Amino acid sequence: DGGITQSPKYLFRKEGQNVTLSCEQNLNHDAMYWYRQDPGQGLRLIYYSQIVNDFQKGDIAEGYSVSREKKESFPLTVTSAQKNPTAFYLCASSPVQGIGLNEKLFFGSGTQLSVL
Amino acid sequence: EDQVTQSPEALRLQEGESSSLNCSYTVSGLRGLFWYRQDPGKGPEFLFTLYSAGEEKEKERLKATLTKKESFLHITAPKPEDSATYLCAVHGTGNQFYFGTGTSLTVIP
């Protein structure tokens, strides 16, 4: 089945540690996104990428980094500079933007990151 | 700036009691308005896309409608399994999707 796989489902970070969240898709989508979800808040965009080897900052990129070396993969690193990393992280993908009527986001099952 | 506001924040219904969720939006050049369902600890699940004012879509007990400024998600005779958070999002002329904070729906047997 085609879809988006996020791992791990739960992740714990120690102070000063960088951690990486994995996101893999087999939908052949060009665009991929990382969102952060906090209780009572909407999904906020961290980074997005429309093509391999290119990505753009979203609204809350500080303290995060990404790479897009392969079309299928878009890992997110939460660095020690992110002082409040506890949240639910969602990866999403969509077909090439500008094509028109099929630009909805497909989501993974999420990673819950907590600080020890 | 593109913006989405959902109301109410939370809604409790008796089983069979129909109601509507609201999504108000401002966007420069609407390319799509999306409704998603999200269960606790899971990723959002796609429900509907609406593209132009006057458009309506239905799926089982759910019906989504769209005007130039807002969208409604109508729930007819809800069941306990409809309990979830319903998210609204818009896609404008930029490259981002903007989400509302969601409506948490609880359907009581």
Side-chain angles (χ1 to χ4, degrees):
Chain A
D1 284 341
I4 301 176
T5 301
Q6 289 188 241
S7 62
K9 187 167 178 61
Y10 301 98
L11 186 58
F12 298 91
R13 193 192 87 168
K14 296 179 181 179
E15 190 173 343
Q17 185 182 40
N18 293 352
V19 293
T20 297
L21 285 61
S22 171
C23 178
E24 303 278 334
Q25 55 102 356
N26 60 4
L27 299 168
N28 199 33
H29 287 169
D30 286 285
M32 297 188 73
Y33 307 78
W34 275 105
Y35 288 91
R36 170 177 171 145
Q37 188 174 35
D38 295 278
Q41 296 194 39
L43 275 66
R44 292 184 290 168
L45 183 65
I46 305 172
Y47 270 99
Y48 66 101
S49 167
Q50 292 182 270
I51 57 173
V52 174
N53 293 322
D54 187 47
F55 46 83
Q56 287 76 43
K57 293 182 179 180
D59 299 321
I60 56 166
E62 186 174 351
Y64 300 97
S65 66
V66 293
S67 63
R68 186 86 186 276
E69 298 178 0
K70 299 186 300 182
K71 186 176 182 178
E72 303 80 21
S73 179
F74 192 40
L76 173 73
T77 297
V78 184
T79 74
S80 57
Q82 173 50 245
K83 298 306 180 186
N84 184 24
T86 297
F88 191 55
Y89 290 85
L90 286 161
C91 179
S93 71
S94 72
V96 173
Q97 299 195 6
I99 297 298
L101 301 182
N102 194 25
E103 294 177 355
K104 62 179 177 283
L105 291 172
F106 295 76
F107 284 90
S109 56
T111 293
Q112 176 64 50
L113 175 62
S114 302
V115 176
L116 289 177
Chain B
E1 179 180 301
D2 297 353
Q3 192 170 6
V4 178
T5 302
Q6 290 188 248
S7 62
E9 289 186 12
L11 182 62
R12 289 173 63 90
L13 299 173
Q14 290 292 136
E15 184 172 1
E17 178 187 3
S18 301
S19 187
S20 297
L21 283 55
N22 177 262
C23 172
S24 299
Y25 66 92
T26 55
V27 65
S28 53
L30 182 69
R31 290 165 62 176
L33 183 141
F34 306 88
W35 283 98
Y36 287 86
R37 170 191 170 128
Q38 186 177 24
D39 292 299
K42 296 188 177 181
E45 175 187 342
F46 172 76
L47 293 173
F48 303 109
T49 307
L50 301 167
Y51 294 102
S52 57
E55 190 175 1
E56 300 182 351
K57 289 192 177 175
E58 289 189 65
K59 179 181 179 180
E60 296 180 352
R61 295 177 293 281
L62 300 177
K63 179 181 178 179
T65 62
L66 181 66
T67 72
K68 288 186 177 180
K69 293 186 176 182
E70 57 191 351
S71 176
F72 292 94
L73 184 65
H74 306 278
I75 303 176
T76 302
K79 298 181 177 181
E81 53 262 41
D82 295 322
S83 297
T85 295
Y86 291 86
L87 302 174
C88 174
V90 295
H91 188 197
T93 53
N95 292 322
Q96 297 189 24
F97 293 76
Y98 290 91
F99 283 82
T101 54
T103 294
S104 176
L105 174 66
T106 302
V107 181
I108 304 163

